[in-house]
Structure formats: C-alpha cells, structure tokens
Amino acid sequence: MPVTLNSHQFARLIDRTADHIGDATLPVLHGVRLEADAEHLYAVATDRYTLAVARYRHHGLDGKAFARTVPARALPALRRWLTDQPGDAHITLTPVDGKLRFTTEAGEMTLTTDGDQDYIGWRGLLRDILAKTTDRPEVDTDGDQEDLPVLDARLLTRFTTADTHLRIRTGPGRTPALLVGEDFLGAQSPVRSRHEGFGAGTDDTLGGVRALWETGLTDPDSHTAVPMPAPRRSYDAPQTSSGTAEALLRQTMASTRDLLEEIDSPRAVAAHAAAGASAWAAYRYLDALHRADPSLAAQVIAEVADELDDGALGEFAWDAAAKAGFDPQKWYDELDQAATAAGGTAAEAPVGLGTDS
C-alpha cells in the first residue's frame, strides 16, 4: 500500500492543485485528494467551478491502490515539512488507520485524513469533458459558431501554478473548458454572459461579435494599414523543460553525426565535438534540476530563453565571469594570441549570438 516518489515532485503536486480547493462549507472538497494506482500518484482538488488533477509516475506501489484527502488546514504544515526535505529525497506515503504517514530518511510526518469515500467522481467528469471536447468548433444551422464559451478570468488565475504553458479547448454549449498541461488535466465551468454583467445587448455568438466589431476593426480611409512588426529573434529558444530537453538531445545527436562526417576538417571536428559535449552536459544538468526542483527548472529555462532571444551572450558571459571572480579580459587576450598565431584577427569586444552588424 505505501507509494514512493521524489520529494520535490510530491510538493509540486500539492502546489499545482491547492488553489482549487473548495471552501469549508463543503468539507469533502476542503482539501487535496491524493490517490495512488499502479503507475501514478494523483493530486486532485475542486471547488465545483474549477477542477485540477496533477499526477506523477511514482517509484512503486507496494500493495493495493489507496485514496486519502489531506484537509486544507493540514496543508501548510505539510508544505513546510516538504520544503525542509532535500529535493532529490525519496518520500514514502503510507495510509494507516485514517491517517497518512509521510516518511523520508530524515524523518516522518503523520496527518489525519479523510478516507476513500464520499469524494466526487473526477475521473468520470474528465472522461465526459474529453468526450464532448472537439478539435473543431460546433456550428449552428446557419453555418456560424454556437455561443462563445465565457470563462471567469478570476477562476482562470487558479491555474497559474499548474504549468508554464496550458492548452485550452472548449466544447459545445455548457461543456467545461479543458486545460491540459504536462501530467495535468484541469477543467473550468463556463458562465452565461448575460447573467454575469456583460449586458443584455451583448451577442454571445462569433457572428455577433464579428458584426459588433466589423466597423471598428476596419482601417479608416485616412490610414494605411501597416502589418504588425515581427519581433526580432536571435534564437528561438524552447520555453519548457520538455522542449529544452528535446532541443539539447537533438543537438547532441546532430553534432555527433556531423562529427563523423567532417573528418577532413580539424576545426569543424572540434566545433562539432564542443557543441555535442556542451549540449549533452546541459541536458544532464537540466534533467537533474528538473527532477530535484521542477519549479526552479522552469524559472531558469524562461530566463535563459530571454537571454538567448536577446542574443548578447558574449556580454552576458563576460559579466558572469567577472562576477564569479574570473578574469574575462585575460581569456580574450589568450584568444587574441591564439588567433594571431593562427593567422587570424584579434577579438576587440564580447560578441553576442545574433548581434546586429
């Protein structure tokens, strides 16, 4: 019956779902539901308007599946205890007589929980939403879209901890919107615009919205339509852990392949070897960071993506080297000497990737 998984990954399950906990007037929903099956540990929370389900593949379930709800009042203490655990530590969850015991090599914590009865059938709810959610918009008899779904933006903010990026798909009528992330499924119930302060004159269909905005979105005769300028990008960097991992592994494989094909060019061989080795090292570091602390990994990936997009990598490296106590000027002098000895030209200043000429 015990289940074991990474400590930080368990903390992330709590973080991705806690904002969706129902209020105290509905005790059965006033907490985070933890359910373990043969492959995953699930964390579930709902306030009846939004539903969040996050999962993580555990290291093994010793016995039969179990389900327990950690009450909202106990979550702050559990979250603080998890923060004190090493990121890569293994934590074992064991249900014992109406309680749930959390154990690591450093110690343990036991909380009183609710049992495996009286919780909503979230699996059936999500199966129904998935069945009604279509890849193409529903159309009415006139060939136009049905009423546009209306989502409460205040409820949408509860999904900010779910993932860096979420895919959203809506179904017909009053079907809840489906939100999909990495090992995450969420749902949000729509509201009816006429009853939520949008005004009786608002048309809820896409055709009505087009008619309402058609004049305002037409360029005046006195203006010349100018297309929106595309942002200057020096490097289209991945924005997620999985996307970055894929890019690094592809680069490693490409560089290794090219390394074998460039045997007649020593400089090309060296370039491919350096690129492949750097990509592989970066992947290994990223993989370790993602397993230890996914939130920190996502933060670092976003920061690096912005730096790559800026393109001034030489300047960034110069500043980082100086801050770390190294002598970047000495490195440039050594590069100048090597270039001069090889008949090349000396470098005068840090050069960033994609620097404008």
Side-chain angles (χ1 to χ4, degrees), residues 3 18 25 28 33 47 83 97-99 141-142 145 167 176 202 220 234-236 242 244 247 256 258 306 357:
V3 64
T25 60
V28 68
R33 184 73 160 181
D47 55 8
T83 300
D97 299 330
K99 300 179 185 294
T141 55
D142 295 329
Q145 261 188 293
R167 294 176 174 85
T202 301
S234 301
Y235 181 76
D236 192 10
S242 59
T244 303
T256 303
D258 292 340
D306 288 340
S357 59

Side-chain angles (χ1 to χ4, degrees), residues 48-233:
R48 296 183 301 167
Y49 300 100
T50 65
L51 169 65
V53 180
R55 71 180 186 180
Y56 184 73
R57 187 180 295 273
H58 53 64
H59 300 307
L61 176 67
D62 184 12
K64 64 179 182 180
F66 68 86
R68 293 288 188 275
T69 299
V70 179
R73 64 180 181 276
L75 285 173
L78 174 59
R79 193 60 186 83
R80 287 193 298 270
W81 183 78
L82 289 171
T83 300
D84 292 335
Q85 308 307 312
D88 58 351
H90 287 175
I91 181 170
T92 299
L93 285 66
T94 308
V96 182
D97 299 330
K99 300 179 185 294
L100 196 56
R101 181 182 301 140
F102 308 93
T103 308
T104 68
E105 291 184 355
E108 68 178 41
M109 181 180 194
T110 302
L111 296 175
T112 300
T113 61
D114 295 329
D116 56 359
Q117 71 282 350
D118 298 329
Y119 200 74
I120 65 167
W122 59 270
R123 288 179 172 84
L125 284 172
L126 286 174
R127 279 200 307 271
D128 186 56
I129 294 171
L130 281 168
K132 293 180 179 178
T133 301
T134 59
D135 288 330
R136 301 183 64 181
E138 296 292 321
V139 296
D140 59 23
T141 55
D142 295 329
D144 210 342
Q145 261 188 293
E146 289 188 344
D147 286 2
L148 292 172
V150 180
L151 300 180
D152 190 323
R154 295 165 298 181
L155 299 181
L156 272 175
T157 61
R158 298 179 183 177
F159 290 96
T160 55
T161 56
D163 213 338
T164 306
H165 296 88
L166 291 174
R167 294 176 174 85
I168 299 179
R169 182 71 70 180
T170 58
R174 297 279 291 170
T175 304
L178 181 70
L179 297 94
V180 183
E182 183 179 359
D183 281 327
F184 180 88
L185 279 180
Q188 179 169 327
S189 296
V191 296
R192 294 195 181 279
S193 63
R194 297 182 192 278
H195 295 214
E196 295 292 331
F198 282 84
T202 301
D203 196 320
D204 296 333
T205 65
L206 183 59
V209 173
R210 280 201 202 97
L212 186 65
W213 283 86
E214 184 175 9
T215 302
L217 297 180
T218 301
D219 292 314
D221 294 337
S222 59
H223 293 83
T224 301
V226 178
M228 183 178 293
R232 182 184 70 84
R233 296 191 65 86

Side-chain angles (χ1 to χ4, degrees), residues 5-82:
L5 73 161
N6 175 280
S7 176
H8 261 300
Q9 293 289 358
F10 177 53
R12 189 176 182 230
L13 291 180
I14 301 296
D15 292 343
R16 299 175 88 185
T17 53
D19 286 342
H20 301 264
I21 292 175
D23 60 41
T25 60
L26 290 171
V28 68
L29 303 182
H30 195 50
V32 171
R33 184 73 160 181
L34 299 176
E35 298 192 12
D37 61 19
E39 293 187 354
H40 296 94
L41 177 67
Y42 296 85
V44 186
T46 179
D47 55 8
R48 296 183 301 167
Y49 300 100
T50 65
L51 169 65
V53 180
R55 71 180 186 180
Y56 184 73
R57 187 180 295 273
H58 53 64
H59 300 307
L61 176 67
D62 184 12
K64 64 179 182 180
F66 68 86
R68 293 288 188 275
T69 299
V70 179
R73 64 180 181 276
L75 285 173
L78 174 59
R79 193 60 186 83
R80 287 193 298 270
W81 183 78
L82 289 171

Side-chain angles (χ1 to χ4, degrees), residues 232 234 306-319 350-355:
R232 182 184 70 84
S234 301
D306 288 340
E307 292 166 353
L308 292 174
D309 183 58
D310 183 281
L313 300 188
E315 297 176 16
F316 295 152
W318 181 288
D319 293 340
V351 178
L353 177 65
T355 300

